[in-house]
């Protein structure tokens, strides 16, 4: 269609634009994504960017990795599963429920101890790690190690520090990392092991001034990574995924530098960094 004809018949412009709009709408798809609780906020940011780039919208369901794995095993109609560990994603592949070719470690999680209890002054030094040995620590929150990877990591830390048996009677377990953080935020727990991403989000949400957010807690301890196995968060595409083309676009997007930038700025590392 040439420009002269469009000028002569302006209604053709309207028709032409409408066709383009409808084609774009028809090509857009909704993807059903199951995501571990710790990564929900990051996925919301990724989803907004992904929609701008492709028109596709993410429908997000979040829970602990173990709970989502069980739902998928029982036929939940998700397209993609973003686990907080490798174990559940790999199980779905071995059980022929997800594609091996789609498996990808999209993020590396970081474990943090957040405390409402002030650390003791030991030899002129203060460290939030000391809270774990404090008599003021009556309730320690961790995510359930059986279903939540960050809970499993917390279990490993306490084991390596020789504190698991000593503190076991004081531990309260959250179903997922978000609930675990809520125990600490509402002071139903004196301290808790949570994801760095959850802390970053809480600080942003509590105040536009990050320092004001930090003051809500007595201290933070960024747990050394040699105290727990790497938290490799892996994604897989389920074999029953409906819109294959849109799913492939999402997988490519998750491997892009734009996605990695968002992931890193929300409290994670990546293997590509």
């Amino acid at each position: 269609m040439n420009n002269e004809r469009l000028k002569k018949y302006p209604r053709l412009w309207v028709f032409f634009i409408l066709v383009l709009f409808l084609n774009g709408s028809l090509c857009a798809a909704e993807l059903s994504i199951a995501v571990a609780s710790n990564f929900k906020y990051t996925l919301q940011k990724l989803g907004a960017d992904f929609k701008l780039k492709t028109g596709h919208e993410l429908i997000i369901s979040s829970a602990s990795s173990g709970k989502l794995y069980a739902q998928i095993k029982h036929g939940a109609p998700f397209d993609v599963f973003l686990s907080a560990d490798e174990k559940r994603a790999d199980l779905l592949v071995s059980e022929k429920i997800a594609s091996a070719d789609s498996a990808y470690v999209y993020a590396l999680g970081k474990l943090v101890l957040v405390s409402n209890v002030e650390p003791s002054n030991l030899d002129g030094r203060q460290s939030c790690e000391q809270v774990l040995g404090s008599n003021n620590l009556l309730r320690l929150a961790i995510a359930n190690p059986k279903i939540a990877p960050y809970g499993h990591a917390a279990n490993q830390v306490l084991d390596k520090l020789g504190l698991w048996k000593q503190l076991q009677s004081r531990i309260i377990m959250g179903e997922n990392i978000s609930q675990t953080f809520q125990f600490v935020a509402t002071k139903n727990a004196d301290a808790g092991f949570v994801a760095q991403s959850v802390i970053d989000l809480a600080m942003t949400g509590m105040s536009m001034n990050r320092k004001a957010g930090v003051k809500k807690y007595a201290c933070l301890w960024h747990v050394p990574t040699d105290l727990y196995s790497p938290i490799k968060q892996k994604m897989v595409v389920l074999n029953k995924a409906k819109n294959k083309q849109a799913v492939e676009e999402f997988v490519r997007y998750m491997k892009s530098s734009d996605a990695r930038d968002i992931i890193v700025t929300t409290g994670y590392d990546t293997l590509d960094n």
Side-chain angles (χ1 to χ4, degrees):
M1 186 180 297
N2 58 51
N3 290 337
E4 289 301 320
R5 191 174 180 187
L6 287 173
K7 289 177 182 177
K8 189 174 181 180
Y9 302 101
R11 289 184 180 179
L12 287 175
W13 274 111
V14 177
F15 175 76
F16 185 60
I17 292 169
L18 183 62
V19 168
L20 286 176
F21 175 78
L22 288 174
N23 281 342
S25 298
L26 290 172
C27 290
E30 289 185 345
L31 300 182
S32 181
I33 312 292
V35 62
S37 297
N38 70 284
F39 201 74
K40 180 181 177 181
Y41 169 71
T42 302
L43 185 60
Q44 288 172 336
K45 294 195 73 172
L46 290 166
D49 187 51
F50 180 63
K51 186 175 181 179
L52 280 175
K53 289 178 166 61
T54 66
H56 305 316
E57 185 167 1
L58 304 186
I59 306 302
I60 298 171
S61 300
S62 68
S64 67
S65 295
K67 195 168 186 177
L68 290 170
Y69 166 76
Q71 290 176 8
I72 292 167
K73 284 270 291 180
H74 284 89
F78 298 119
D79 297 309
V80 182
F81 175 39
L82 274 67
S83 178
D85 65 358
E86 292 185 290
K87 178 182 175 182
R88 273 81 175 187
D90 290 343
L91 278 173
L92 291 175
V93 169
S94 66
E95 291 160 349
K96 311 297 183 186
I97 297 173
S99 161
D101 292 340
S102 68
Y104 174 67
V105 176
Y106 62 89
L108 299 174
K110 302 177 188 178
L111 191 67
V112 175
L113 177 72
V114 57
S115 174
N116 295 316
V117 176
E118 291 283 354
S120 58
N121 195 317
L122 183 65
D123 298 329
R125 294 178 293 107
Q126 278 190 320
S127 169
C128 204
E129 180 187 354
Q130 294 166 10
V131 168
L132 295 172
S134 171
N135 292 330
N136 294 324
L137 179 63
L138 303 179
R139 295 176 300 277
L140 175 66
I142 70 170
N144 187 338
K146 293 181 179 179
I147 60 174
Y150 283 83
H152 178 65
N155 189 169
Q156 288 181 317
V157 172
L158 293 174
D159 263 339
K160 284 199 175 182
L161 294 176
L163 294 171
W164 178 253
K165 290 183 179 179
Q166 175 185 328
L167 294 175
Q168 201 164 5
S169 63
R170 304 185 216 175
I171 289 175
I172 59 174
M173 291 187 184
E175 185 176 287
N176 52 53
I177 205 67
S178 297
Q179 187 182 58
T180 304
F181 175 72
Q182 283 304 310
F183 287 150
V184 184
T186 57
K187 294 185 167 54
N188 286 305
D190 302 300
F193 284 99
V194 300
Q196 172 69 55
S197 57
V198 175
I199 295 294
D200 287 355
L201 173 59
M203 288 179 179
T204 302
M206 287 167 192
S207 172
M208 293 302 289
N209 182 339
R210 291 181 67 85
K211 291 182 179 179
V214 173
K215 289 177 183 176
K216 187 172 179 68
Y217 305 104
C219 65
L220 298 173
W221 178 42
H222 297 268
V223 182
T225 54
D226 59 354
L227 290 179
Y228 58 94
S229 301
I231 304 174
K232 294 182 179 179
Q233 303 199 182
K234 184 178 281 189
M235 62 179 278
V236 285
V237 174
L238 303 182
N239 292 334
K240 291 183 178 180
K242 295 176 183 177
N243 193 321
K244 299 293 185 181
Q245 182 178 338
V247 167
E248 287 174 8
E249 288 182 54
F250 178 70
V251 171
R252 284 198 299 273
Y253 170 76
M254 286 295 289
K255 296 178 181 180
S256 71
S257 59
D258 287 345
R260 285 197 298 273
D261 287 345
I262 293 172
I263 290 168
V264 169
T265 57
T266 51
Y268 299 89
D269 283 331
T270 67
L271 289 176
D272 298 308
N273 277 2

